[in-house]
Amino acid sequence: MRTHGGTGFGILGAVFAVFAMSFVAVPHASAAKETWDHVANIKDAARRLGVLHRQEGSAGVLKFLDACYRTQMLASEYSPGLESCLAQDYMHSQVLAQIYARIPQEQRVRMGTPAPEDIARGMGARFVAAFTAYKISVKQADDFKKMVDKNGMPIFLKSVFPPRKPGDPDSGAADGNK
């Protein structure tokens, strides 16, 4: 079973497209001068998210993200803490949506799990609120997404879905698929 593929997931990519379309009408004042290393911050956020996910599962991650947004959105300026919340939300939502997309709708309803589109919409609403509040431009939002895809997602995926050794169940090595 392929547990993680490329990070260009269609549903969440569409969320960024919707964000870009809705953001066109918002004035684009520059965000405050940012003085931190964004790549290092995103990598650190990915590592912390992996640890949290392993320790507390998806429910623990969602509880943490709720508290993270509640705290970080109190700041008057965009911060490394909010950037971490956004990166973790994006990585978690993307993986969760991919997993739930593989479960038939009837089974998802029985399990009480949300549809992948609902996960994407929820994340999109949180991103629009944050990006609008801190005057993050569409270009900055797109650059952020690319940074998370390139620098954070591989760390998170490796942490949550460690590479399997040949011969392990579901490693794909037995049937020649890797």
Side-chain angles (χ1 to χ4, degrees):
M1 175 174 140
R2 185 174 161 199
T3 57
H4 60 281
T7 57
F9 187 62
I11 292 171
L12 295 173
V15 167
F16 270 90
V18 168
F19 165 73
M21 299 296 274
S22 67
F23 201 70
V24 171
V26 176
H28 295 275
S30 287
K33 283 286 182 195
E34 297 161 2
T35 58
W36 65 91
D37 181 339
H38 297 280
V39 171
N41 191 43
I42 288 169
K43 286 180 176 182
D44 181 58
R47 281 190 279 281
R48 289 184 289 114
L49 178 62
V51 169
L52 179 62
H53 192 275
R54 284 192 315 275
Q55 291 175 346
E56 299 187 28
S58 187
V61 169
L62 293 172
K63 184 177 177 180
F64 168 80
L65 287 172
D66 179 60
C68 187
Y69 278 115
R70 287 177 191 268
T71 302
Q72 296 300 325
M73 292 290 290
L74 294 173
S76 59
E77 294 184 7
Y78 186 69
S79 68
L82 179 57
E83 181 179 74
S84 292
C85 291
L86 291 163
Q88 291 168 332
D89 189 1
Y90 175 74
M91 290 181 281
H92 181 259
S93 294
Q94 185 168 6
V95 170
L96 195 61
Q98 284 183 327
I99 290 169
Y100 287 173
R102 294 177 175 216
I103 301 171
Q105 181 180 357
E106 315 80 55
Q107 191 174 351
R108 274 196 324 266
V109 169
R110 274 196 309 276
M111 294 167 51
T113 58
E117 299 82 11
D118 294 337
I119 294 168
R121 268 192 293 279
M123 186 204 73
R126 293 185 297 274
F127 274 44
V128 167
F131 290 161
T132 301
Y134 294 97
K135 298 176 177 67
I136 304 298
S137 71
V138 173
K139 181 181 181 333
Q140 289 169 311
D142 190 51
D143 290 347
F144 167 79
K145 177 188 176 298
K146 289 174 185 172
M147 270 192 290
V148 176
D149 283 340
K150 179 181 178 186
N151 301 291
M153 190 62 80
I155 292 169
F156 176 60
L157 290 175
K158 187 174 182 180
S159 177
V160 176
F161 304 106
R164 297 187 183 256
K165 298 178 183 128
D168 282 353
D170 292 333
S171 69
D175 61 8
N177 295 328
K178 284 195 170 193

PDB file of all heavy atoms in Angstrom, residues 11-42:
ATOM      1  N   ILE A  11      -6.895  18.373  -3.771  1.00  0.00           N
ATOM      2  CA  ILE A  11      -7.897  19.052  -2.949  1.00  0.00           C
ATOM      3  C   ILE A  11      -7.278  20.257  -2.261  1.00  0.00           C
ATOM      4  O   ILE A  11      -7.827  21.352  -2.277  1.00  0.00           O
ATOM      5  CB  ILE A  11      -8.508  18.088  -1.912  1.00  0.00           C
ATOM      6  CG1 ILE A  11      -9.352  17.027  -2.611  1.00  0.00           C
ATOM      7  CG2 ILE A  11      -9.341  18.843  -0.895  1.00  0.00           C
ATOM      8  CD1 ILE A  11      -9.827  15.916  -1.723  1.00  0.00           C
ATOM      9  N   LEU A  12      -6.122  20.075  -1.655  1.00  0.00           N
ATOM     10  CA  LEU A  12      -5.510  21.186  -0.928  1.00  0.00           C
ATOM     11  C   LEU A  12      -4.908  22.202  -1.883  1.00  0.00           C
ATOM     12  O   LEU A  12      -4.870  23.391  -1.576  1.00  0.00           O
ATOM     13  CB  LEU A  12      -4.483  20.668   0.070  1.00  0.00           C
ATOM     14  CG  LEU A  12      -5.136  19.835   1.172  1.00  0.00           C
ATOM     15  CD1 LEU A  12      -4.097  19.193   2.056  1.00  0.00           C
ATOM     16  CD2 LEU A  12      -6.086  20.645   2.006  1.00  0.00           C
ATOM     17  N   GLY A  13      -4.482  21.758  -3.038  1.00  0.00           N
ATOM     18  CA  GLY A  13      -4.036  22.711  -4.052  1.00  0.00           C
ATOM     19  C   GLY A  13      -5.191  23.604  -4.463  1.00  0.00           C
ATOM     20  O   GLY A  13      -5.029  24.809  -4.669  1.00  0.00           O
ATOM     21  N   ALA A  14      -6.366  23.018  -4.549  1.00  0.00           N
ATOM     22  CA  ALA A  14      -7.561  23.797  -4.885  1.00  0.00           C
ATOM     23  C   ALA A  14      -7.876  24.813  -3.808  1.00  0.00           C
ATOM     24  O   ALA A  14      -8.341  25.918  -4.096  1.00  0.00           O
ATOM     25  CB  ALA A  14      -8.748  22.865  -5.095  1.00  0.00           C
ATOM     26  N   VAL A  15      -7.598  24.470  -2.553  1.00  0.00           N
ATOM     27  CA  VAL A  15      -7.826  25.421  -1.473  1.00  0.00           C
ATOM     28  C   VAL A  15      -6.955  26.655  -1.678  1.00  0.00           C
ATOM     29  O   VAL A  15      -7.415  27.786  -1.515  1.00  0.00           O
ATOM     30  CB  VAL A  15      -7.537  24.782  -0.094  1.00  0.00           C
ATOM     31  CG1 VAL A  15      -7.462  25.835   0.996  1.00  0.00           C
ATOM     32  CG2 VAL A  15      -8.611  23.771   0.233  1.00  0.00           C
ATOM     33  N   PHE A  16      -5.706  26.444  -2.061  1.00  0.00           N
ATOM     34  CA  PHE A  16      -4.838  27.591  -2.302  1.00  0.00           C
ATOM     35  C   PHE A  16      -5.326  28.402  -3.495  1.00  0.00           C
ATOM     36  O   PHE A  16      -5.231  29.621  -3.495  1.00  0.00           O
ATOM     37  CB  PHE A  16      -3.377  27.154  -2.479  1.00  0.00           C
ATOM     38  CG  PHE A  16      -2.639  27.125  -1.180  1.00  0.00           C
ATOM     39  CD1 PHE A  16      -2.619  25.979  -0.408  1.00  0.00           C
ATOM     40  CD2 PHE A  16      -1.993  28.248  -0.705  1.00  0.00           C
ATOM     41  CE1 PHE A  16      -1.956  25.955   0.798  1.00  0.00           C
ATOM     42  CE2 PHE A  16      -1.322  28.237   0.513  1.00  0.00           C
ATOM     43  CZ  PHE A  16      -1.310  27.084   1.262  1.00  0.00           C
ATOM     44  N   ALA A  17      -5.881  27.749  -4.490  1.00  0.00           N
ATOM     45  CA  ALA A  17      -6.432  28.472  -5.637  1.00  0.00           C
ATOM     46  C   ALA A  17      -7.631  29.315  -5.200  1.00  0.00           C
ATOM     47  O   ALA A  17      -7.769  30.471  -5.602  1.00  0.00           O
ATOM     48  CB  ALA A  17      -6.832  27.498  -6.734  1.00  0.00           C
ATOM     49  N   VAL A  18      -8.493  28.738  -4.370  1.00  0.00           N
ATOM     50  CA  VAL A  18      -9.648  29.484  -3.862  1.00  0.00           C
ATOM     51  C   VAL A  18      -9.164  30.652  -3.019  1.00  0.00           C
ATOM     52  O   VAL A  18      -9.676  31.763  -3.116  1.00  0.00           O
ATOM     53  CB  VAL A  18     -10.585  28.565  -3.042  1.00  0.00           C
ATOM     54  CG1 VAL A  18     -11.613  29.367  -2.275  1.00  0.00           C
ATOM     55  CG2 VAL A  18     -11.252  27.553  -3.959  1.00  0.00           C
ATOM     56  N   PHE A  19      -8.144  30.401  -2.206  1.00  0.00           N
ATOM     57  CA  PHE A  19      -7.580  31.477  -1.395  1.00  0.00           C
ATOM     58  C   PHE A  19      -7.103  32.604  -2.298  1.00  0.00           C
ATOM     59  O   PHE A  19      -7.393  33.767  -2.053  1.00  0.00           O
ATOM     60  CB  PHE A  19      -6.414  30.962  -0.544  1.00  0.00           C
ATOM     61  CG  PHE A  19      -5.590  32.087   0.021  1.00  0.00           C
ATOM     62  CD1 PHE A  19      -6.083  32.863   1.055  1.00  0.00           C
ATOM     63  CD2 PHE A  19      -4.353  32.378  -0.496  1.00  0.00           C
ATOM     64  CE1 PHE A  19      -5.341  33.907   1.566  1.00  0.00           C
ATOM     65  CE2 PHE A  19      -3.610  33.415   0.006  1.00  0.00           C
ATOM     66  CZ  PHE A  19      -4.104  34.186   1.042  1.00  0.00           C
ATOM     67  N   ALA A  20      -6.379  32.264  -3.339  1.00  0.00           N
ATOM     68  CA  ALA A  20      -5.847  33.285  -4.247  1.00  0.00           C
ATOM     69  C   ALA A  20      -6.981  34.079  -4.874  1.00  0.00           C
ATOM     70  O   ALA A  20      -6.912  35.313  -4.966  1.00  0.00           O
ATOM     71  CB  ALA A  20      -4.987  32.639  -5.315  1.00  0.00           C
ATOM     72  N   MET A  21      -8.040  33.410  -5.271  1.00  0.00           N
ATOM     73  CA  MET A  21      -9.168  34.089  -5.896  1.00  0.00           C
ATOM     74  C   MET A  21      -9.872  35.007  -4.888  1.00  0.00           C
ATOM     75  O   MET A  21     -10.240  36.119  -5.225  1.00  0.00           O
ATOM     76  CB  MET A  21     -10.170  33.076  -6.451  1.00  0.00           C
ATOM     77  CG  MET A  21      -9.582  32.173  -7.514  1.00  0.00           C
ATOM     78  SD  MET A  21      -9.073  33.065  -8.967  1.00  0.00           S
ATOM     79  CE  MET A  21     -10.609  33.088  -9.823  1.00  0.00           C
ATOM     80  N   SER A  22     -10.045  34.542  -3.659  1.00  0.00           N
ATOM     81  CA  SER A  22     -10.744  35.354  -2.672  1.00  0.00           C
ATOM     82  C   SER A  22      -9.867  36.490  -2.163  1.00  0.00           C
ATOM     83  O   SER A  22     -10.372  37.510  -1.715  1.00  0.00           O
ATOM     84  CB  SER A  22     -11.192  34.491  -1.491  1.00  0.00           C
ATOM     85  OG  SER A  22     -10.081  34.012  -0.774  1.00  0.00           O
ATOM     86  N   PHE A  23      -8.577  36.335  -2.264  1.00  0.00           N
ATOM     87  CA  PHE A  23      -7.648  37.322  -1.734  1.00  0.00           C
ATOM     88  C   PHE A  23      -7.442  38.492  -2.686  1.00  0.00           C
ATOM     89  O   PHE A  23      -6.984  39.545  -2.276  1.00  0.00           O
ATOM     90  CB  PHE A  23      -6.301  36.636  -1.448  1.00  0.00           C
ATOM     91  CG  PHE A  23      -5.446  37.369  -0.471  1.00  0.00           C
ATOM     92  CD1 PHE A  23      -5.804  37.417   0.867  1.00  0.00           C
ATOM     93  CD2 PHE A  23      -4.288  37.990  -0.868  1.00  0.00           C
ATOM     94  CE1 PHE A  23      -5.011  38.078   1.787  1.00  0.00           C
ATOM     95  CE2 PHE A  23      -3.494  38.659   0.043  1.00  0.00           C
ATOM     96  CZ  PHE A  23      -3.858  38.698   1.369  1.00  0.00           C
ATOM     97  N   VAL A  24      -7.825  38.332  -3.945  1.00  0.00           N
ATOM     98  CA  VAL A  24      -7.626  39.378  -4.940  1.00  0.00           C
ATOM     99  C   VAL A  24      -8.287  40.684  -4.510  1.00  0.00           C
ATOM    100  O   VAL A  24      -7.749  41.759  -4.725  1.00  0.00           O
ATOM    101  CB  VAL A  24      -8.148  38.914  -6.320  1.00  0.00           C
ATOM    102  CG1 VAL A  24      -8.162  40.043  -7.314  1.00  0.00           C
ATOM    103  CG2 VAL A  24      -7.298  37.757  -6.832  1.00  0.00           C
ATOM    104  N   ALA A  25      -9.417  40.596  -3.832  1.00  0.00           N
ATOM    105  CA  ALA A  25     -10.146  41.800  -3.441  1.00  0.00           C
ATOM    106  C   ALA A  25      -9.597  42.458  -2.178  1.00  0.00           C
ATOM    107  O   ALA A  25      -9.987  43.548  -1.823  1.00  0.00           O
ATOM    108  CB  ALA A  25     -11.617  41.450  -3.216  1.00  0.00           C
ATOM    109  N   VAL A  26      -8.667  41.786  -1.497  1.00  0.00           N
ATOM    110  CA  VAL A  26      -8.122  42.313  -0.252  1.00  0.00           C
ATOM    111  C   VAL A  26      -6.906  43.175  -0.557  1.00  0.00           C
ATOM    112  O   VAL A  26      -6.068  42.809  -1.367  1.00  0.00           O
ATOM    113  CB  VAL A  26      -7.726  41.138   0.680  1.00  0.00           C
ATOM    114  CG1 VAL A  26      -7.070  41.643   1.955  1.00  0.00           C
ATOM    115  CG2 VAL A  26      -8.928  40.278   0.994  1.00  0.00           C
ATOM    116  N   PRO A  27      -6.793  44.343   0.072  1.00  0.00           N
ATOM    117  CA  PRO A  27      -5.611  45.181  -0.156  1.00  0.00           C
ATOM    118  C   PRO A  27      -4.346  44.426   0.206  1.00  0.00           C
ATOM    119  O   PRO A  27      -4.321  43.659   1.156  1.00  0.00           O
ATOM    120  CB  PRO A  27      -5.816  46.364   0.797  1.00  0.00           C
ATOM    121  CG  PRO A  27      -7.199  46.281   1.302  1.00  0.00           C
ATOM    122  CD  PRO A  27      -7.710  44.902   1.035  1.00  0.00           C
ATOM    123  N   HIS A  28      -3.296  44.663  -0.536  1.00  0.00           N
ATOM    124  CA  HIS A  28      -2.054  43.913  -0.355  1.00  0.00           C
ATOM    125  C   HIS A  28      -0.957  44.769   0.254  1.00  0.00           C
ATOM    126  O   HIS A  28       0.058  45.039  -0.367  1.00  0.00           O
ATOM    127  CB  HIS A  28      -1.570  43.350  -1.695  1.00  0.00           C
ATOM    128  CG  HIS A  28      -2.501  42.337  -2.260  1.00  0.00           C
ATOM    129  ND1 HIS A  28      -2.467  41.022  -1.928  1.00  0.00           N
ATOM    130  CD2 HIS A  28      -3.548  42.478  -3.108  1.00  0.00           C
ATOM    131  CE1 HIS A  28      -3.424  40.379  -2.559  1.00  0.00           C
ATOM    132  NE2 HIS A  28      -4.097  41.238  -3.276  1.00  0.00           N
ATOM    133  N   ALA A  29      -1.135  45.178   1.471  1.00  0.00           N
ATOM    134  CA  ALA A  29      -0.060  45.876   2.165  1.00  0.00           C
ATOM    135  C   ALA A  29       0.993  44.847   2.528  1.00  0.00           C
ATOM    136  O   ALA A  29       0.687  43.684   2.771  1.00  0.00           O
ATOM    137  CB  ALA A  29      -0.599  46.536   3.429  1.00  0.00           C
ATOM    138  N   SER A  30       2.235  45.255   2.549  1.00  0.00           N
ATOM    139  CA  SER A  30       3.309  44.334   2.890  1.00  0.00           C
ATOM    140  C   SER A  30       3.226  43.939   4.348  1.00  0.00           C
ATOM    141  O   SER A  30       2.914  44.749   5.209  1.00  0.00           O
ATOM    142  CB  SER A  30       4.670  44.984   2.647  1.00  0.00           C
ATOM    143  OG  SER A  30       4.921  45.060   1.285  1.00  0.00           O
ATOM    144  N   ALA A  31       3.539  42.691   4.601  1.00  0.00           N
ATOM    145  CA  ALA A  31       3.629  42.238   5.977  1.00  0.00           C
ATOM    146  C   ALA A  31       4.875  42.868   6.593  1.00  0.00           C
ATOM    147  O   ALA A  31       5.764  43.331   5.896  1.00  0.00           O
ATOM    148  CB  ALA A  31       3.717  40.707   6.014  1.00  0.00           C
ATOM    149  N   ALA A  32       4.919  42.877   7.900  1.00  0.00           N
ATOM    150  CA  ALA A  32       6.077  43.446   8.601  1.00  0.00           C
ATOM    151  C   ALA A  32       7.344  42.713   8.187  1.00  0.00           C
ATOM    152  O   ALA A  32       7.301  41.571   7.742  1.00  0.00           O
ATOM    153  CB  ALA A  32       5.864  43.315  10.101  1.00  0.00           C
ATOM    154  N   LYS A  33       8.469  43.379   8.346  1.00  0.00           N
ATOM    155  CA  LYS A  33       9.752  42.744   8.034  1.00  0.00           C
ATOM    156  C   LYS A  33       9.907  41.502   8.897  1.00  0.00           C
ATOM    157  O   LYS A  33       9.809  41.551  10.117  1.00  0.00           O
ATOM    158  CB  LYS A  33      10.911  43.703   8.314  1.00  0.00           C
ATOM    159  CG  LYS A  33      11.079  44.744   7.252  1.00  0.00           C
ATOM    160  CD  LYS A  33      11.680  44.136   6.019  1.00  0.00           C
ATOM    161  CE  LYS A  33      11.892  45.182   4.955  1.00  0.00           C
ATOM    162  NZ  LYS A  33      12.125  44.627   3.663  1.00  0.00           N
ATOM    163  N   GLU A  34      10.154  40.401   8.233  1.00  0.00           N
ATOM    164  CA  GLU A  34      10.292  39.134   8.928  1.00  0.00           C
ATOM    165  C   GLU A  34      11.779  38.849   9.098  1.00  0.00           C
ATOM    166  O   GLU A  34      12.539  38.947   8.148  1.00  0.00           O
ATOM    167  CB  GLU A  34       9.577  38.038   8.137  1.00  0.00           C
ATOM    168  CG  GLU A  34       8.083  38.327   8.045  1.00  0.00           C
ATOM    169  CD  GLU A  34       7.390  37.583   6.925  1.00  0.00           C
ATOM    170  OE1 GLU A  34       8.031  36.806   6.217  1.00  0.00           O
ATOM    171  OE2 GLU A  34       6.184  37.804   6.766  1.00  0.00           O
ATOM    172  N   THR A  35      12.167  38.502  10.306  1.00  0.00           N
ATOM    173  CA  THR A  35      13.579  38.387  10.621  1.00  0.00           C
ATOM    174  C   THR A  35      14.020  36.961  10.910  1.00  0.00           C
ATOM    175  O   THR A  35      15.148  36.755  11.328  1.00  0.00           O
ATOM    176  CB  THR A  35      13.910  39.257  11.845  1.00  0.00           C
ATOM    177  OG1 THR A  35      13.090  38.827  12.936  1.00  0.00           O
ATOM    178  CG2 THR A  35      13.650  40.728  11.563  1.00  0.00           C
ATOM    179  N   TRP A  36      13.169  35.984  10.704  1.00  0.00           N
ATOM    180  CA  TRP A  36      13.538  34.615  11.030  1.00  0.00           C
ATOM    181  C   TRP A  36      13.814  33.812   9.767  1.00  0.00           C
ATOM    182  O   TRP A  36      13.461  34.200   8.663  1.00  0.00           O
ATOM    183  CB  TRP A  36      12.465  33.940  11.884  1.00  0.00           C
ATOM    184  CG  TRP A  36      11.135  33.733  11.194  1.00  0.00           C
ATOM    185  CD1 TRP A  36      10.753  32.631  10.487  1.00  0.00           C
ATOM    186  CD2 TRP A  36      10.023  34.632  11.151  1.00  0.00           C
ATOM    187  NE1 TRP A  36       9.478  32.789  10.012  1.00  0.00           N
ATOM    188  CE2 TRP A  36       9.008  34.017  10.410  1.00  0.00           C
ATOM    189  CE3 TRP A  36       9.789  35.906  11.666  1.00  0.00           C
ATOM    190  CZ2 TRP A  36       7.778  34.624  10.166  1.00  0.00           C
ATOM    191  CZ3 TRP A  36       8.566  36.502  11.431  1.00  0.00           C
ATOM    192  CH2 TRP A  36       7.581  35.859  10.699  1.00  0.00           C
ATOM    193  N   ASP A  37      14.433  32.664   9.964  1.00  0.00           N
ATOM    194  CA  ASP A  37      14.744  31.733   8.880  1.00  0.00           C
ATOM    195  C   ASP A  37      13.497  30.869   8.662  1.00  0.00           C
ATOM    196  O   ASP A  37      13.208  29.966   9.455  1.00  0.00           O
ATOM    197  CB  ASP A  37      15.950  30.881   9.279  1.00  0.00           C
ATOM    198  CG  ASP A  37      16.372  29.884   8.208  1.00  0.00           C
ATOM    199  OD1 ASP A  37      15.558  29.534   7.325  1.00  0.00           O
ATOM    200  OD2 ASP A  37      17.526  29.432   8.280  1.00  0.00           O
ATOM    201  N   HIS A  38      12.769  31.162   7.591  1.00  0.00           N
ATOM    202  CA  HIS A  38      11.502  30.465   7.330  1.00  0.00           C
ATOM    203  C   HIS A  38      11.703  28.970   7.113  1.00  0.00           C
ATOM    204  O   HIS A  38      10.927  28.159   7.615  1.00  0.00           O
ATOM    205  CB  HIS A  38      10.793  31.088   6.120  1.00  0.00           C
ATOM    206  CG  HIS A  38      10.400  32.513   6.348  1.00  0.00           C
ATOM    207  ND1 HIS A  38       9.280  32.877   7.051  1.00  0.00           N
ATOM    208  CD2 HIS A  38      10.999  33.673   5.981  1.00  0.00           C
ATOM    209  CE1 HIS A  38       9.187  34.197   7.108  1.00  0.00           C
ATOM    210  NE2 HIS A  38      10.235  34.702   6.475  1.00  0.00           N
ATOM    211  N   VAL A  39      12.718  28.606   6.356  1.00  0.00           N
ATOM    212  CA  VAL A  39      12.960  27.180   6.085  1.00  0.00           C
ATOM    213  C   VAL A  39      13.262  26.435   7.382  1.00  0.00           C
ATOM    214  O   VAL A  39      12.697  25.370   7.645  1.00  0.00           O
ATOM    215  CB  VAL A  39      14.083  26.995   5.042  1.00  0.00           C
ATOM    216  CG1 VAL A  39      14.485  25.535   4.920  1.00  0.00           C
ATOM    217  CG2 VAL A  39      13.635  27.537   3.680  1.00  0.00           C
ATOM    218  N   ALA A  40      14.127  26.989   8.210  1.00  0.00           N
ATOM    219  CA  ALA A  40      14.453  26.342   9.489  1.00  0.00           C
ATOM    220  C   ALA A  40      13.213  26.246  10.370  1.00  0.00           C
ATOM    221  O   ALA A  40      12.994  25.223  11.038  1.00  0.00           O
ATOM    222  CB  ALA A  40      15.562  27.113  10.201  1.00  0.00           C
ATOM    223  N   ASN A  41      12.390  27.281  10.376  1.00  0.00           N
ATOM    224  CA  ASN A  41      11.163  27.281  11.179  1.00  0.00           C
ATOM    225  C   ASN A  41      10.199  26.194  10.694  1.00  0.00           C
ATOM    226  O   ASN A  41       9.597  25.479  11.510  1.00  0.00           O
ATOM    227  CB  ASN A  41      10.501  28.665  11.119  1.00  0.00           C
ATOM    228  CG  ASN A  41       9.383  28.822  12.128  1.00  0.00           C
ATOM    229  OD1 ASN A  41       9.498  28.423  13.278  1.00  0.00           O
ATOM    230  ND2 ASN A  41       8.286  29.410  11.677  1.00  0.00           N
ATOM    231  N   ILE A  42      10.059  26.058   9.403  1.00  0.00           N
ATOM    232  CA  ILE A  42       9.157  25.041   8.840  1.00  0.00           C
ATOM    233  C   ILE A  42       9.680  23.641   9.114  1.00  0.00           C
ATOM    234  O   ILE A  42       8.915  22.733   9.462  1.00  0.00           O
ATOM    235  CB  ILE A  42       8.934  25.306   7.334  1.00  0.00           C
ATOM    236  CG1 ILE A  42       8.046  26.553   7.181  1.00  0.00           C
ATOM    237  CG2 ILE A  42       8.329  24.094   6.638  1.00  0.00           C
ATOM    238  CD1 ILE A  42       7.956  27.095   5.777  1.00  0.00           C
TER     239      ILE A  42
END
